[in-house]
Amino acid sequence: MHASEAEKAWDRVRSSLRESAGARLFEQWLKPIELIPSDDEESIRLALPSAFMTNWVRNHYADRLALEFRQILPQVRTVQIETRRPGPKPVLLVMPTPAEIPDRTTAAAAVEPAQVPVKFGVDPSLKPAPAAQPAPAYDTIIPERPPLDPRYTFDRFVVDASNKVAFNAAKVLAEPGPVRFSPLFLHSNTGQGKTHLMHAIGHTFLAANPHAVVLCMSAERFMYDFVAAMRARDTHAFKRRLRGADLLLIDDLQFIAGKDATQEEFFHTINEIMTAGKRLVISADRCPQALEGVESRIISRMAVGLVADIKAPDLLLRRTILDRKLVDLPDLRVPTDVLDLIASRIHANIRELEGALNRVIAYAQLTGETIDLEFAIATLGEVLRGAQKRVTIDEIQKLVTAHFELKPLDMISARRARAVARPRQIAMYLAKRLTTRSLPEIGRKFGGRDHSTVIHAVRKITELRDQDRDIDAAVRVLMRELEG
Ligand SMILES: Nc1ncnc2c1ncn2[C@@H]1O[C@H](COP(=O)(O)OP(=O)(O)OP(=O)(O)O)[C@@H](O)[C@H]1O
């Protein structure tokens, strides 16, 4: 990016900080921040005169700075906050993508506390790092806030009896003013709109409170970050970040079942959020009572708020969702009988419904053919016959992990060692090829990575399959196993 572009953005960010932080805070902590020229398009570098000030700004303003810069320059992925002096090396502080977190800080974190049958505090697998090692860098890194999917808004969510309670509760919870319906617990089978509603809450809440701290992460990511913080012997930053949220959105809670240490921390996190009167939304694939292996005190905290389920979509809802999708594509004509066919035959979930429509549209664009019933039947073939085996990202991750003898958390971890990173890229490639999940969805399932990381992985593996016989063979074996 041009230096002038970064400077202009910095001017705007600074004025906004001056307004929101107030004169005293601004003068003391924020005014001394300086913009350092950076060659990297995706990175902004800021510097402060002392390590103490750097720390303060990192703890209080890292997320906000990142958000403000991203709003002006969407290409920005990292905002580095450095200490100008002393110290020979700048300290990388802010929101790396998970792939950017140095190995040494996270390699050990791949051990799940749940694999050890003792609780946090006396867990022998969570010994402090040897004293001789350099101070771990993790405590200086604040993981990236997973971006909210811009398509997942309330006005793009089609409401009917199957999801009305969840939808209305989500809207009320997101409204400014007194907190209502928090904690909100959303549950449904896969692909029925939980993540969509959670992101919509995030958008609406942020629109009304642009400076609020909104954290959105999967329970898996919560566990990963927590374990990494323990390994780095600094859970303070983690606790502060999580407990400092004005709105906390946790997806796929079922993942922490049986993970004792993580549950302990999770309980205290939600307790504090609730006691402070902040907003909390949790989703899972089943109702709280059916979450085996989750502590009863967590479940009973959920009961204080509202538990809302989303039921399977009926034919009318499926058909309306297809119509709604076409509103965004005004130049495209998809005949009614094609929409009826898709809505009536694809009933498992809305993700697959959208996937089928997207496939017809994509094939028509690629072949230049007109969409009609015959074309749709030919294009959807096995999908309509239900013969196609449904592959999930979870299956892909499990199989790739087993094939390369990795640990389950390596799929979402930040480790960059090739022995881990390459299989992870293969798993992303397979997820793109074999599922109907979108790039941002795939990124989220791989530890909250950005969609551009997924694009890179797909390109890399496509390229490597032509150059490296071993990789191509591994991909073929995995595909055969997955597709049955
Ligand atoms: N009522 C709805 N109106 C419009 N789109 C919907 C609706 N419900 C779901 N979708 C769309 O279906 C897709 C899948 O939804 P989403 O990812 O929110 O499901 P989920 O319940 O979180 O699934 P999982 O449990 O697998 O994470 C998304 O593209 C979402 O926008």
Side-chain angles (χ1 to χ4, degrees), residues 135-207:
Y138 189 82
D139 65 345
T140 64
I141 291 175
I142 295 170
E144 178 171 12
R145 175 191 296 175
L148 299 171
D149 193 317
R151 297 166 307 167
Y152 292 174
T153 57
F154 282 129
D155 58 358
R156 281 165 181 257
F157 193 86
V158 183
V159 188
D160 81 342
S162 69
N163 56 30
K164 192 172 175 180
V165 173
F167 176 83
N168 285 337
K171 273 198 106 166
V172 170
L173 182 139
E175 278 168 9
V179 179
R180 288 191 292 158
F181 297 132
S182 176
L184 174 62
F185 189 98
L186 299 171
H187 66 99
S188 77
N189 285 338
T190 185
Q192 289 179 0
K194 300 182 294 294
T195 307
H196 187 136
L197 280 183
M198 290 184 114
H199 286 210
I201 292 172
H203 289 304
T204 304
F205 186 70
L206 271 176

Side-chain angles (χ1 to χ4, degrees), residues 151-152 156-160 162-163 188-197 251-252 254 283-285 310 317 321 324-325 349-352 354 437-438 441 444-445:
R151 297 166 307 167
Y152 292 174
R156 281 165 181 257
F157 193 86
V158 183
V159 188
D160 81 342
S162 69
N163 56 30
S188 77
N189 285 338
T190 185
Q192 289 179 0
K194 300 182 294 294
T195 307
H196 187 136
L197 280 183
D251 218 349
D252 293 331
Q254 69 276 2
S283 85
D285 65 355
I310 303 178
L317 179 64
I321 287 174
R324 175 67 191 77
K325 270 201 75 113
N349 67 56
I350 297 169
R351 182 176 297 114
E352 291 192 13
E354 288 183 339
R437 296 269 183 154
S438 66
E441 279 180 318
R444 276 199 293 281
K445 286 274 177 189

